[in-house]
Amino acid sequence: VRNVLFLRKYVLLLFGCSSLVLVFIMLQNTEKELCDNQHIVTKNAALSSDKLAELKQKWLNELKKSPSLNGPDEPPRSDALPSVSSLECLINDQQTVQCLKAAGTDGQVYMPFDFIQNYFEVYGKMKHYDGYDRFEFQQSYAKVIYNPKVPYSYTGVFMTFDSYNVEARDRVKCISGITGVPLSTQWHIQGYYYGIQIAQFGMSHYSKELVQRPPTKQVYENAEDSIQGQWKPSNKDCIVDIAKDTETQSNVIKFSTPVSIPLGSGAALILGNTIEHILSFDLKMITNGSLSVVLETNDKLKQYTIHYITSNIVIDFDHKSNIYYGLGASRHWRHIARDLLTDLKKGIGLTDTRQAKKVRINILKVARLTVRGSGFIDNITLSTSEHLSQFHDASQWIYLNQDEETGGWKNEVERRLEGYKPIPAGWISAMGQGQGMSVLSRAYHVFQNPKYIVALSQAMLPFTKFPHEGGVRAVFMDKYTWYEEYPTEPASFVLNGFMYSLIGLYDFKALLEDNYELVTRLYDDGMTSLKAMLPLYDGGSRTFYDLRHFMVQMPPNIARWDYHTTHISQLVLLYSVTKDPVFKKYIDSWTGYLNGKVAKHN
Amino acid sequence: VRNVLFLRKYVLLLFGCSSLVLVFIMLQNTEKELCDNQHIVTKNAALSSDKLAELKQKWLNELKKSPSLNGPDEPPRSDALPSVSSLECLINDQQTVQCLKAAGTDGQVYMPFDFIQNYFEVYGKMKHYDGYDRFEFQQSYAKVIYNPKVPYSYTGVFMTFDSYNVEARDRVKCISGITGVPLSTQWHIQGYYYGIQIAQFGMSHYSKELVQRPPTKQVYENAEDSIQGQWKPSNKDCIVDIAKDTETQSNVIKFSTPVSIPLGSGAALILGNTIEHILSFDLKMITNGSLSVVLETNDKLKQYTIHYITSNIVIDFDHKSNIYYGLGASRHWRHIARDLLTDLKKGIGLTDTRQAKKVRINILKVARLTVRGSGFIDNITLSTSEHLSQFHDASQWIYLNQDEETGGWKNEVERRLEGYKPIPAGWISAMGQGQGMSVLSRAYHVFQNPKYIVALSQAMLPFTKFPHEGGVRAVFMDKYTWYEEYPTEPASFVLNGFMYSLIGLYDFKALLEDNYELVTRLYDDGMTSLKAMLPLYDGGSRTFYDLRHFMVQMPPNIARWDYHTTHISQLVLLYSVTKDPVFKKYIDSWTGYLNGKVAKHN
């Protein structure tokens, strides 16, 4: 066995520092990457059905304990059927709605929920309990607030990102086989790398590593005596052998097949795993070749094959049963970890639009793996998660794709914001810088490589420059320093992006224990502005996403409920490390808005 | 006859310049003077019941013409009674509400309006039409928006003030017999003169003079051959004679009774008027004395007597049938106009609190008038209105009570605003200055006395000074000049008061035809700020009253609906004279809020 890249001891260490997060049955999302209809939980590939059942039971128990959430002990007594008559209702002199009126002189008027839902944009759902139904009304759809038991730390969970499933988002084209990180289709149909998404992908896996139970693992081949796989070459030209790798001083599998044989043929290793879906292995190719995985699914018991090929294609699907991912042309040892369910779904769901098709499919069995071409392979494993491996891929992408000159993660797509002229491709986002810094701080913490500190230092450069200089800095009314998620001119003052940038600065500042004046100053200036300007985002019943209304005279851009909860979670994070009562004030009143509490009128 | 003070020709001239205003069945109110439950129309003392009936018919006709307000032509067909069952509804996991569920598998859920009304703070009322009922739902209670047919002018109606009834407000103690203007109890139990209220009293009468039909009048005594009253002295010491007044070169009534006879006795003039309730006369006292008016009312057919006495009392009531008003100790000719119904109601409703008791009473007959003491009286008249006389009293008060040193109308009560330290008595309000200027501009227009121009010039002084210098000026973020309704430190940026101040500046600027640089500059600076800062008052579904939330970090101070409509009416006014599309934009979106239209979320 080669020294595995991610040592268990790190994981234990991370557990020690982790802050715990309240997770509810919900997928919380930030940034435009998510479309609105994605607020249902998607199957978390890293959780077994047993674990899900266990979690569900736990939540149910918690629900039962909470008095406010308690259903009545017995069905409400069945009164005589109420007597009502139809009643016309005129709404604001404009439309009519059929209502009901209870019998009697001062009979109550009842309005249909369909109308209420549309008119007030509230939510309601009939819930079925043992023996009775209850209608559950909600002011808002999103109530997951970050609720750490210990103050936030750059070594711990990032906000509620442990509940994120970035790869499942329909604006994620797929996880690249070359880089191991997501490709976005949010603002461009062809996939492109979007730094913020990659950072969030990395931090969600980092956070999951901290809060989830250790994965279960099946090692199928490590070329040592302990575990040796049963290889079945498809013909005599396919040779599989154990060899000593001089680079890693470890026994590895050496394989060699003609490259000309059909994709999917070669030397096969039977896996037959019905539980774990994350495939990982170490690979070093000598020639071109491929690695194909056959999956049995619940889709009419159909088999699909995912081919990982030494090419630069991103993803393809033959619209029958073959899905293709490029692994690039690397001739060096690489650790590769693939979430087979994600790869399967992204393949089947592939479209020509910016939005992937929703796919409902499950893997019943990871049947076998076949190698083609010549190379070395080792440590072939199926597990329930490989979070640190995925975090490493994200960190690496972030490290390698920082622009040397500007220190920024450039976004190579044009960005259009209503009310502003388009921002040409190549812009830098303060949110991207902040999220990148949060990843790099954690990467340094786990991998202890000083290169991450250098990258962190460079990442601050755009904070010192204005958009016309390629930076992200803005000043509100010549007074308050701000860091712009979108470097518009005039500024747009997007609140959540600004707070993410402050959290990134905080992470680096904490990592350096306040020994670097620039990061401390950038953070302090930003916090001063935040505290002063929070009221400008308070609409009295909702929050504003930005200050566009003031900057370019539009109606206020109301934050949808998941941005609203992001605002609150970010304030919770900042409050946990500052204890500044300003934050507490807004946490309380903005949380009230989720339940329909509104500011007083005079 | 003496030359009457207010010549009919002015009235005709005013009619020529007037802009017409859409009046709805509502009493619109501004400023804190009004308590919330005063949104019902109170009997307008200046309108006869015939006129009211006529107006009502006109409105009904208009209502019928408007398709959106049309009731259905026939009652909705009577379907079979809907079948429903009771259903428990859980609200935001916090409370339960009994709802109804229609029969059938996907039966609609109906929520009770009592809950909806409380939860969303909306309005609804069952209306009874011929043969059927309809429930009428409203997002807001106030929908009267200023809607001038011609651009606003300082010579015309002031906004919707023609529908104001300042004297009826329960925070008005009474109309002083000494000054003829209201005494406020808004911030102090003892009545005090509140410049803004007096200005609004003046402008409501000015505006009514323009839009209402000319009053009907009965002259009971003018000491000329044409009309001579039948005087009944209560004993032989009471003498009534015709005399030539040397000052006015007119025949007048000279009366003389012992001052020692009981109040209410003396020389009586039978009036017996069942229609007109505004009593006016010219009076010059030689000794102390009184003038008593006997009223027959619908209050169990009871008689009340109002005594106007040469003293400095404000108002008193013996809690039986006698009401007292002081006329002061003047020994000069004065024109006095009293709204007998207002005087009666304020007397009976007199309390020790800041809020007058609501009184429902009508005058059936103005029976007689009795003079006591010695003096001269002339032109004893009952009419349906005396608006210009009341406007004159207000103008005079405003003219006489301007502080010489500061040019301000000082408010001699402490003012407390939540979040600020109290403003000590003696403060000046930009709104007061603006409303005063609007009155003085009209006073100059009607009375053509240059003294009003001098007062107008002085009224601008506080606009040039900051609160610590006794002024009303503020600057938002070192950039935007503002004029403060309440000179708080830090500033509070009350929107409606600021716009009233701009309208006052506009009036003077228009009167001077832009020939005075200071007023033009003050107005222009303010308009620049207003246009830039309007977005800061836009909550997306309501408007903010001020910027307290930003200045002293509180929840936003949401404007109640009548301030919201005031905001819109003020913008309509400013749009009518500037045609600036910024105003149109906010007029449209803020009007939408009245009907539940809200800003988009992302």
Side-chain angles (χ1 to χ4, degrees), chain A residues 109 113 119 121 531 553 601, chain B residues 109 113 121 531 553 601:
Chain A
V109 171
F113 186 72
Y119 185 89
E121 204 177 341
K531 284 182 251 179
Q553 291 240 332
H601 59 73
Chain B
V109 171
F113 186 71
E121 206 179 339
K531 283 183 252 178
Q553 291 239 335
H601 59 74

Side-chain angles (χ1 to χ4, degrees), chain A residues 256-303:
Chain A
S256 169
T257 82
V259 180
S260 56
I261 61 172
L263 211 59
S265 57
L269 177 66
I270 303 301
L271 304 172
N273 188 315
T274 59
I275 296 170
E276 290 105 353
H277 300 151
I278 315 288
L279 172 69
S280 64
F281 49 85
D282 298 306
L283 181 71
K284 177 178 173 178
M285 293 301 290
I286 298 167
T287 65
N288 278 339
S290 61
L291 196 144
S292 301
V293 184
V294 176
L295 305 172
E296 291 174 11
T297 72
N298 65 345
D299 178 11
K300 298 171 198 157
L301 301 179
K302 195 169 161 184
Q303 278 195 348

Side-chain angles (χ1 to χ4, degrees), chain B residues 259-536:
Chain B
V259 180
S260 56
I261 60 172
L263 212 60
S265 58
L269 177 66
I270 304 302
L271 303 171
N273 188 316
T274 59
I275 296 170
E276 289 105 353
H277 302 151
I278 314 288
L279 172 68
S280 63
F281 48 85
D282 300 306
L283 179 71
K284 177 179 174 178
M285 294 300 289
I286 297 166
T287 66
N288 278 336
S290 62
L291 196 144
S292 301
V293 183
V294 175
L295 305 172
E296 292 174 9
T297 72
N298 65 346
D299 177 10
K300 299 172 195 155
L301 301 180
K302 194 169 160 183
Q303 277 194 350
Y304 285 91
T305 306
I306 306 179
H307 305 280
Y308 301 98
I309 311 166
T310 53
S311 88
N312 287 322
I313 66 151
V314 173
I315 179 173
D316 208 352
F317 178 43
D318 69 0
H319 294 281
K320 289 173 196 148
S321 61
N322 292 288
I323 296 159
Y324 309 89
Y325 285 87
L327 293 177
S330 164
R331 296 290 186 262
H332 302 286
W333 273 114
R334 304 162 59 187
H335 180 76
I336 292 174
R338 303 300 303 179
D339 178 341
L340 297 174
L341 186 62
T342 297
D343 284 352
L344 176 67
K345 286 183 170 180
K346 295 292 178 187
I348 301 174
L350 195 63
T351 65
D352 292 337
T353 70
R354 294 193 312 185
Q355 197 168 325
K357 227 173 20 196
K358 285 238 173 291
V359 175
R360 286 176 167 274
I361 195 167
N362 271 319
I363 294 172
L364 299 180
K365 190 193 276 180
V366 182
R368 66 180 181 276
L369 172 158
T370 308
V371 290
R372 187 183 62 99
S374 296
F376 304 93
I377 193 165
D378 197 7
N379 298 317
I380 301 171
T381 305
L382 281 165
S383 59
T384 48
S385 72
E386 272 272 4
H387 296 310
L388 274 189
S389 175
Q390 285 162 313
F391 172 67
H392 183 263
D393 286 346
S395 313
Q396 277 306 102
W397 188 94
I398 294 208
Y399 176 74
L400 293 171
N401 289 275
Q402 185 176 31
D403 183 59
E404 258 183 59
E405 191 193 328
T406 62
W409 288 279
K410 289 192 168 181
N411 295 288
E412 296 299 347
V413 285
E414 184 187 84
R415 179 78 175 101
R416 289 168 179 274
L417 274 83
E418 196 190 337
Y420 293 88
K421 56 180 194 298
I423 309 172
W427 52 279
I428 292 170
S429 163
M431 175 166 169
Q433 298 306 108
Q435 296 268 275
M437 291 174 80
S438 290
V439 168
L440 292 174
S441 299
R442 283 164 176 77
Y444 178 76
H445 174 65
V446 179
F447 310 119
Q448 297 284 322
N449 188 329
K451 71 178 182 181
Y452 294 121
I453 302 280
V454 176
L456 278 158
S457 311
Q458 287 172 334
M460 288 189 302
L461 252 176
F463 288 87
T464 64
K465 293 185 172 158
F466 291 97
H468 68 266
E469 306 164 313
V472 300
R473 195 178 183 88
V475 183
F476 182 71
M477 297 290 290
D478 298 325
K479 182 159 185 192
Y480 294 118
T481 298
W482 192 270
Y483 312 123
E484 289 269 272
E485 177 168 348
Y486 303 113
T488 54
E489 288 188 284
S492 39
F493 300 105
V494 174
L495 180 57
N496 83 89
F498 178 53
M499 289 200 273
Y500 278 129
S501 78
L502 293 177
I503 296 168
L505 290 168
Y506 173 81
D507 286 348
F508 188 31
K509 181 175 100 78
L511 172 64
L512 296 184
E513 295 171 351
D514 279 308
N515 284 317
Y516 189 6
E517 192 267 342
L518 177 59
V519 66
T520 303
R521 179 156 48 81
L522 290 173
Y523 171 79
D524 287 347
D525 288 353
M527 288 294 272
T528 300
S529 305
L530 177 66
K531 283 183 252 178
M533 290 172 65
L534 274 177
L536 295 178

